[in-house]
């Protein structure tokens, strides 16, 4: 989840693809918050290892546009 800015979705997709190159950006699900200030993205990947998931989580969490990673 992050602020609703134009580049947010592309930033998230770029980070996800760095860790899961087979990820298809067309599968991203987007939902705006009730007031429209934030947007949540759901990206489903097939993880190869816990280390891969941990690295993806760290990179997403560290990005300044990302507010919450679940």
């Amino acid at each position: 989840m992050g602020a609703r800015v134009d580049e947010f979705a592309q930033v998230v997709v770029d980070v996800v693809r760095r860790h899961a190159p087979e990820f298809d950006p067309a599968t991203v699900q987007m939902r705006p918050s009730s007031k429209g200030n934030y947007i949540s993205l759901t990206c489903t990947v097939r993880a190869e290892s816990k280390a891969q998931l941990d690295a993806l989580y760290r990179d997403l969490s560290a990005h300044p546009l990302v507010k919450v990673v679940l």
Side-chain angles (χ1 to χ4, degrees):
M1 177 176 256
R4 191 169 185 181
V5 295
D6 292 339
E7 65 271 16
F8 181 67
Q10 188 60 53
V11 163
V12 170
V13 166
D14 290 346
V15 172
V16 172
R17 290 193 80 185
R18 210 172 18 240
H19 294 278
E22 74 288 347
F23 174 70
D24 181 2
T27 64
V28 174
Q29 298 173 9
M30 298 184 198
R31 285 180 303 283
S33 65
S34 60
K35 293 183 182 177
N37 297 326
Y38 297 94
I39 188 163
S40 71
L41 302 179
T42 300
C43 301
T44 304
V45 298
R46 183 176 298 259
E48 303 282 325
S49 68
K50 183 177 182 326
Q52 178 191 20
L53 281 179
D54 290 345
L56 174 56
Y57 180 87
R58 277 192 306 274
D59 281 359
L60 284 171
S61 297
H63 198 284
L65 290 179
V66 177
K67 303 299 181 201
V68 176
V69 179
L70 300 174

